[in-house]
Amino acid sequence: MDTAEVERLIEEGIEDAEATVTKPRVPDEDHEDAHFAAVVVSPAFEGLSLVQQHELVYDALEGYMTTDIHALEMKTYTPEAYEEHGA
C-alpha cells in the first residue's frame, strides 16, 4: 500500500477530509515498510475528543490496519484548529 492509497481511503471515509500521508522513516528494502504518518483535516472532527477523531481515521482504514498498515502516526484537526496550530 502506498501513501496515495492511504490518503484516498481516509478522504473517502471521512466527510470533507483532506489527508496528507507520508512515510516517516527511511524504507527498509529488505522488509515491507508499512509505517505511515497522516495529517487529517476535517470539519467532521468538530466537537469530538482526540480519541474519537482518531477512531474515525481508524474506521476509514478498517481492514487495512491489521494487514497493509503496520503503524500509523496521526495528527487530526478541524479546519479552524489547523489554521491555528497545523503545518
Side-chain angles (χ1 to χ4, degrees):
M1 177 167 282
D2 64 15
T3 56
E5 178 69 5
V6 177
E7 287 177 359
R8 183 188 66 75
L9 290 167
I10 293 170
E11 290 174 352
E12 287 179 359
I14 301 172
E15 186 175 350
D16 296 323
E18 291 185 28
T20 302
V21 178
T22 60
K23 289 198 172 190
R25 63 184 202 185
V26 178
D28 182 345
E29 293 181 17
D30 295 328
H31 300 89
E32 184 177 342
D33 190 15
H35 293 248
F36 296 93
V39 175
V40 184
V41 181
S42 175
F45 297 143
E46 188 69 45
L48 299 180
S49 70
L50 187 60
V51 170
Q52 291 170 318
Q53 293 175 23
H54 287 198
E55 286 175 344
L56 283 180
V57 176
Y58 286 128
D59 288 348
L61 298 171
E62 183 180 352
Y64 295 98
M65 288 302 301
T66 57
T67 57
D68 298 285
I69 300 171
H70 175 73
L72 178 67
E73 300 172 26
M74 74 177 94
K75 294 183 180 181
T76 54
Y77 301 96
T78 63
E80 296 78 19
Y82 187 73
E83 284 183 24
E84 186 175 338
H85 303 289

